[in-house]
């Protein structure tokens, strides 16, 4: 496809401020930022990344010192905006303000109030890639205000995520894109299941463990142990479940281990904005069994690349596990190539940026 932009752009990507890139604390945002940088770079755009100190990136990187931002997932709707002393988030945006003239566009990956609030004070346009659904009134209000003043500046990953916001119809739905060459297709699985994600309440690991206990099918768990108490509770609640915690692995090792699994279970209790791990599993030929809710419900083709289960139904999961063999693993891999490649994502990003820049009323 021809580029929808007139010339290559100089783009500054501002990472999440809840963790360094490579730590896993940033959840799917870490891989999303990396993939998006790759997709844009393949299209000829120049990329620089700004991220908390200690980050690892495969692109030119500016590391910023400061205190990490607390995570917003479980604070409740009326939670106030939190800002620690010497916040890395604030320091990253001070840096961005200083260097903005060297760039055509800034892209914000933080689900935080400050970058939205600062948008009118910048000369350069800011694209905001929102990584979660509606969580707090304060965030909803500032995103709504930004989108009203600067149309086309807010991107999301799925229709279901957009629908959690009153302004969802004005968000650009981008899906996601992956370097599929990193994910090896594995035709013959071993007899166990996978669960991949941050070990935190919103991700609903306990439902997958419950299904493993009933079916007595081994379940391997990969991801950052974000909430230790939560994980201890699960182990106490399901003492005879055949589950093992396998730690947090870099992509290359994760895909190797994940590819050998019979199916990936995705049982989140929140509206998962996208669920990167669904694509990573499918890319290896691993069918996905997911609740029919949020991003995974838009990714999984029921009966073709996995099974969609009534949300929060453990018996539904058990039934789906019994039907894994009906899914053709090669079809799973094919689905990712058609929709979730870096090239496909690069096209969607360029169309988004072209629309955003054509509406920008800022000085050139
Ligand atoms: N992940 C990883 N190594 C692991 C487990 C998970 O790199 O051992 C990454 C995975 O590739 C994915 C992210 O963690 O990009 C989880 O993202 P997802 O979108 O599924 O959920 P989120 O954490 O954003 O809610």
């Amino acid at each position: 496809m021809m580029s929808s932009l007139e010339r290559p752009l100089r783009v500054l990507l501002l990472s999440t401020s809840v963790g360094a890139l490579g730590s896993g604390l940033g959840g799917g945002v870490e891989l999303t930022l990396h993939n998006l940088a790759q997709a844009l770079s393949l299209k000829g755009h120049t990329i620089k990344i700004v991220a908390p100190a200690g980050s690892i990136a495969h692109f030119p990187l500016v590391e910023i010192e400061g205190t990490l931002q607390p995570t917003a997932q479980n604070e409740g709707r009326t939670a106030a905006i939190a800002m620690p002393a010497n916040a890395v988030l604030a320091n990253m945006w001070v840096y961005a303000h200083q260097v903005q003239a060297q760039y055509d566009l800034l892209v914000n990956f933080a689900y935080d109030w400050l970058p939205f609030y600062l948008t009118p004070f910048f000369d350069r346009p800011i694209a905001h890639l929102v990584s979660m659904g509606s969580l707090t009134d304060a965030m909803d209000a500032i995103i709504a205000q930004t989108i009203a003043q600067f149309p086309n500046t807010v991107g999301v990953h799925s229709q279901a995520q957009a629908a959690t916001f009153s302004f969802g119809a004005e968000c650009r739905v981008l899906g996601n894109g992956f370097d599929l060459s990193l994910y090896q297709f594995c035709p013959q699985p071993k007899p166990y299941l996978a669960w991949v994600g941050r070990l935190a309440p919103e991700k609903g690991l306990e439902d997958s463990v419950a299904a493993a206990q009933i079916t007595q099918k081994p379940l391997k768990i990969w991801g950052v142990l974000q909430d230790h108490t939560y994980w201890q509770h699960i182990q106490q609640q399901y003492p005879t479940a055949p589950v093992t915690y396998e730690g947090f692995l870099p992509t290359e090792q994760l895909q190797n281990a994940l590819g050998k699994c019979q199916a990936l279970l995705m049982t989140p209790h929140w509206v998962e904005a996208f669920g990167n791990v669904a694509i990573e599993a499918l890319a290896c030929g691993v069918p996905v069994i997911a609740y029919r809710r949020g991003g995974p419900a838009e990714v999984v083709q029921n009966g073709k690349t996995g099974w969609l289960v009534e949300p929060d139904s453990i018996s539904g999961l058990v039934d789906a596990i019994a039907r894994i063999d009906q899914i053709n693993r090669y079809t799973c891999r094919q689905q990712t190539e058609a929709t979730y490649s870096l090239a496909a994502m690069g096209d969607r990003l360029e169309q988004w940026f072209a629309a955003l820049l054509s509406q920008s009323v800022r000085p050139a």
Side-chain angles (χ1 to χ4, degrees):
M1 184 189 277
M2 278 246 308
S3 171
S4 34
L5 293 161
E6 282 165 17
R7 60 186 170 82
L9 300 177
R10 298 159 300 170
V11 187
L12 189 64
L13 306 181
L14 288 115
S15 184
T16 169
S17 47
V18 302
L21 285 171
S23 70
L25 291 171
V29 176
E30 295 184 26
L31 185 65
T32 298
L33 183 144
H34 176 67
N35 292 347
L36 192 137
Q38 260 189 302
L40 291 174
S41 173
L42 285 171
K43 295 271 186 191
H45 305 291
T46 307
I47 303 299
K48 194 172 250 185
I49 296 172
V50 180
S55 287
I56 300 162
H58 303 290
F59 288 86
L61 169 70
V62 179
E63 294 180 63
I64 304 284
E65 298 286 344
T67 307
L68 295 174
Q69 202 66 8
T71 49
Q73 279 95 333
N74 299 300
E75 296 295 306
R77 288 224 57 91
T78 55
I81 300 305
M83 186 59 71
N86 187 31
V88 71
L89 174 66
N91 297 344
M92 284 164 60
W93 284 88
V94 167
Y95 172 81
H97 196 261
Q98 286 163 355
V99 301
Q100 59 176 319
Q102 299 166 28
Y103 298 90
D104 301 300
L105 179 68
L106 279 52
V107 184
N108 165 41
F109 288 80
Y111 191 97
D112 271 293
W113 183 85
L114 188 69
F116 290 92
Y117 176 77
L118 289 175
T119 303
F121 301 101
F122 273 69
D123 297 326
R124 286 292 179 267
I126 302 174
H128 300 274
L129 185 49
V130 176
S131 57
M132 291 186 274
S134 171
L135 287 180
T136 68
D137 297 341
M139 278 302 293
D140 281 11
I142 197 71
I143 304 175
Q145 194 178 309
T146 308
I147 217 168
Q149 204 175 350
F150 302 101
N152 276 319
T153 57
V154 176
V156 295
H157 293 290
S158 67
Q159 300 283 358
Q161 180 197 359
T164 66
F165 298 112
S166 60
F167 47 83
E170 293 153 68
C171 298
R172 184 162 283 249
V173 180
L174 295 159
N176 223 335
F178 296 76
D179 181 354
L180 297 174
S181 69
L182 293 177
Y183 299 87
Q184 306 302 311
F185 175 64
C186 176
Q188 291 297 340
K190 300 262 197 296
Y192 44 72
L193 303 168
W195 188 95
V196 186
R198 292 172 292 108
L199 280 72
E202 67 273 12
K203 305 296 279 188
L205 169 60
E206 62 271 39
D207 293 11
S208 295
V209 173
Q213 176 155 293
I214 294 168
T215 58
Q216 282 300 306
K217 228 180 210 308
L219 175 71
K220 292 182 186 259
I221 298 164
W222 288 276
V224 162
L225 193 38
Q226 199 170 29
D227 186 333
H228 289 260
T229 315
Y230 169 67
W231 174 227
Q232 274 166 6
H233 269 132
I234 294 176
Q235 288 170 292
Q236 284 159 8
Q237 211 181 342
Y238 302 100
T240 59
V243 301
T244 48
Y245 174 58
E246 307 278 332
F248 178 78
L249 300 180
T251 301
E252 199 183 314
Q253 291 170 34
L254 177 68
Q255 66 82 27
N256 189 288
L258 176 59
K260 299 190 176 82
C261 296
Q262 271 188 319
L264 173 75
L265 301 185
M266 292 187 78
T267 49
H269 289 166
W270 69 344
V271 175
E272 187 84 49
F274 187 72
N276 280 349
V277 298
I279 308 298
E280 298 185 86
L282 293 174
C284 301
V286 177
V288 178
I289 295 173
Y291 288 151
R292 188 181 273 105
R293 167 160 71 201
E298 288 168 37
V299 168
V300 176
Q301 295 175 354
N302 194 35
K304 239 178 130 187
T305 60
W307 296 108
L308 290 172
V309 171
E310 187 195 329
D312 309 320
S313 166
I314 309 297
S315 62
L317 293 174
V318 171
D319 288 349
I321 290 168
R323 287 182 289 150
I324 299 169
D325 290 346
Q326 295 175 27
I327 306 295
N328 179 328
R329 290 173 73 92
Y330 187 64
T331 310
C332 297
R333 169 74 192 192
Q334 276 179 317
Q335 187 194 345
T336 61
E337 286 171 1
T339 316
Y340 301 109
S341 67
L342 289 180
M345 183 60 171
D347 289 341
R348 293 193 289 270
L349 287 169
E350 286 197 329
Q351 285 160 21
W352 178 32
F353 293 160
L356 187 162
L357 292 169
S358 71
Q359 291 212 342
S360 174
V361 289
R362 296 157 197 263

